[in-house]
Amino acid sequence: NIDTDVVEFRMRLRTVRLRGADQVGGLLVGGNGNAALRAAGQFWQRSVGPSQLVQIIAVSETAHRSAEEKIPSRRALIVSSLQSEQLLLDVNPLAHWKGLLCRQIAKSQLLPFDIEHPAAANMFFGRETELELLSGSESVAIAGPGRIGKTSLLHEHRRRLALGRDPRVHASILIDCYYCPNKSEDGFARFLAMQINPIRRNASLTASQMIHFLQSERTRYGQTPEFLLDEVDEVVKLSSFGLLAKAARDGLCRMIVAGKGVLLDMVRSKHSALDRLRSILPEPLLAVECRTLLFEPFLDLGFRISDPDAVLDRVLDLTGGLPQHIHYIGKKLFAMLIRADGVLSPRLVDSLKEDFDLALYLKSTLLAVDPQDRGVAERLLKLGRKPITVPDLQKAVLDSGRPKLGLTEAAELADKLVVSNFLAWRGGVYRLAVPTIADYYPSSEIGRVLN
């Protein structure tokens, strides 16, 4: 409201790799009126959140003092009129702004590494091939291990529809099937209907009514609706889910589904309604993408990097280029940097191998392998950092005491180990998802740990 010397605004800084920078809530406040003096505190209370950055630009001394009094220390960026002038005159205003931010707000609050939530817009890297496929018209299945970025892909797809002002965004609905309370045939049909159009009559929908419901929804939207279904493994075998796939084939909707091993099995089964879906198995990030994901947040926080190529090589060995592992390692390195001299070095990364929590984190990947496949995993660990071929897998199966597998069955087992996060498809071959994991299991100890 300009009449009361208050203007709210929002900044989207996707190239700033700090938490909340992709959507900064801002307030420009001046004057000496009571409304203006109360505005900063009220705005902060409305805007504050764990992933929200709040910026107050106070263009009068009175407003600046009021903002500092009403907002807890180191919780928001408060910019005075003099600082605003310096910011506008700087030849690199974005760097100047990041410096102000890091001096006023605790760096731990700005750290963007996060393994619990989908990637924010400013922390999403790579996946251009996958996003190009999602931007098309055919239905798609995304199958991969937990936290590799399937949900992030769905969110980024919708963000790009919105940024591109694509009219499809108005008929694109993200549905997390994990929260389906009743995973029966009718229960899933009702859950889906209420997520799409939460009106009373849809609360009693049955599976047999799904096709009619989807026909009416297509009419209501005036275009083909797009359903982004996440965490589908527990519902994908339901016949009501198969009806949804049939509706997608008939042009009543488009579906993009994300899940793990059960979804992959259904897509590859000739007897499944999902067998015509185009499938995506997200691979590890490219080295150049890992470099940006790891280094840019630390640089934005004001840390220095010594011998970046060597640092990156060591981190890739620890993470295999899997984004969820880079986020985990990033948090670990930050805790060490604030206690050290603020320089990210190869030696600092090497010291991570002695971290007990990291060892447990990496070992949990191995222990998550299906028990019937652990004997095979034991043999594959001995290959260390070498590429793993289908014949290698066949031999590992034989050595573990199981019957010989044909090429097709061996490839299917390899993909199963990819989805369980033990193997990764990288550079046209299978490899251990995290090369370093072999170091934690000397050959003499593997059997004892796995069995």
Side-chain angles (χ1 to χ4, degrees), residues 125 127 148 282-287 289-291 293 312-327 421 424 426 432-435:
F125 298 98
R127 309 295 190 209
I148 197 170
E283 297 182 24
L285 297 179
L286 300 174
E289 296 161 350
C290 295
R291 188 185 191 98
L293 173 57
L312 181 63
D313 286 343
R314 284 162 168 78
V315 169
L316 289 177
D317 196 52
L318 280 168
T319 65
L322 294 170
Q324 71 273 32
H325 294 338
I326 294 177
H327 277 264
N421 225 350
R426 184 187 298 110
L432 293 180
V434 181

Side-chain angles (χ1 to χ4, degrees), residues 132-279:
E132 183 68 24
L133 186 58
L134 296 189
S135 70
S137 59
E138 62 182 323
S139 292
V140 179
I142 308 168
R147 295 180 176 174
I148 197 170
K150 302 183 297 294
T151 305
S152 297
L153 259 176
L154 299 180
H155 282 266
E156 183 65 15
H157 167 62
R158 292 198 78 243
R159 278 195 291 259
R160 295 197 180 190
L161 289 180
L163 286 171
R165 299 184 180 180
D166 191 317
R168 290 183 297 170
V169 72
H170 302 296
S172 179
I173 306 164
L174 180 60
I175 302 170
D176 190 341
C177 297
Y178 176 83
Y179 295 105
C180 178
N182 178 359
K183 295 179 174 65
S184 65
E185 301 292 351
D186 290 342
F188 173 70
R190 293 182 189 119
F191 171 76
L192 183 71
M194 291 298 288
Q195 293 293 307
I196 296 169
N197 187 7
I199 58 176
R200 180 177 296 179
R201 71 169 178 265
N202 288 339
S204 57
L205 190 86
T206 63
S208 63
Q209 298 170 311
M210 273 189 64
I211 297 297
H212 177 72
F213 163 75
L214 293 169
Q215 288 171 335
S216 65
E217 287 303 300
R218 190 182 189 284
T219 301
R220 182 171 72 91
Y221 278 110
Q223 60 177 303
T224 302
E226 178 180 85
F227 305 135
L228 313 180
L229 302 166
D230 200 10
E231 299 288 351
V232 301
D233 278 55
E234 292 186 21
V235 297
V236 72
K237 289 186 175 181
L238 296 173
S239 61
S240 48
F241 198 98
L243 287 173
L244 180 62
K246 181 181 183 302
R249 288 202 305 269
D250 293 342
L252 296 179
C253 63
R254 182 195 184 204
M255 59 192 300
I256 300 176
V257 297
K260 302 183 181 72
V262 180
L263 172 61
L264 184 63
D265 290 342
M266 292 293 288
V267 171
R268 293 186 172 178
S269 170
K270 295 180 180 179
H271 306 291
S272 165
L274 279 69
D275 67 333
R276 298 185 191 178
L277 265 64
R278 178 75 175 270
S279 60

Side-chain angles (χ1 to χ4, degrees), residues 315-428:
V315 169
L316 289 177
D317 196 52
L318 280 168
T319 65
L322 294 170
Q324 71 273 32
H325 294 338
I326 294 177
H327 277 264
Y328 184 90
I329 292 293
K331 295 183 76 169
K332 284 284 180 184
L333 289 171
F334 173 78
M336 299 168 70
L337 280 167
I338 59 175
R339 294 195 301 265
D341 57 0
V343 178
L344 177 54
S345 65
R347 183 176 179 182
L348 192 70
V349 180
D350 287 339
S351 65
L352 276 176
K353 290 187 177 182
E354 301 172 5
D355 186 280
F356 182 71
D357 289 337
L358 175 61
L360 289 180
Y361 174 79
L362 295 179
K363 289 178 180 181
S364 67
T365 300
L366 177 60
L367 297 177
V369 170
D370 189 319
Q372 68 177 357
D373 298 326
R374 287 184 181 174
V376 178
E378 172 187 342
R379 273 74 187 176
L380 294 177
L381 278 173
K382 297 177 181 179
L383 297 176
R385 291 161 175 76
K386 298 177 182 178
I388 296 171
T389 64
V390 171
D392 288 332
L393 197 67
Q394 290 175 306
K395 183 176 185 304
V397 169
L398 276 176
D399 290 346
S400 67
R402 290 169 54 178
K404 182 179 179 180
L405 295 182
L407 291 175
T408 301
E409 292 82 3
E412 289 175 351
L413 175 57
D415 288 341
K416 182 181 177 184
L417 292 173
V418 168
V419 174
S420 68
N421 225 350
F422 178 72
L423 294 182
W425 177 256
R426 184 187 298 110

Side-chain angles (χ1 to χ4, degrees), residues 18-35:
L18 299 175
R19 175 174 291 187
D22 58 313
Q23 194 163 184
V24 183
L27 183 75
L28 177 65
V29 58
N32 301 309
N34 289 332

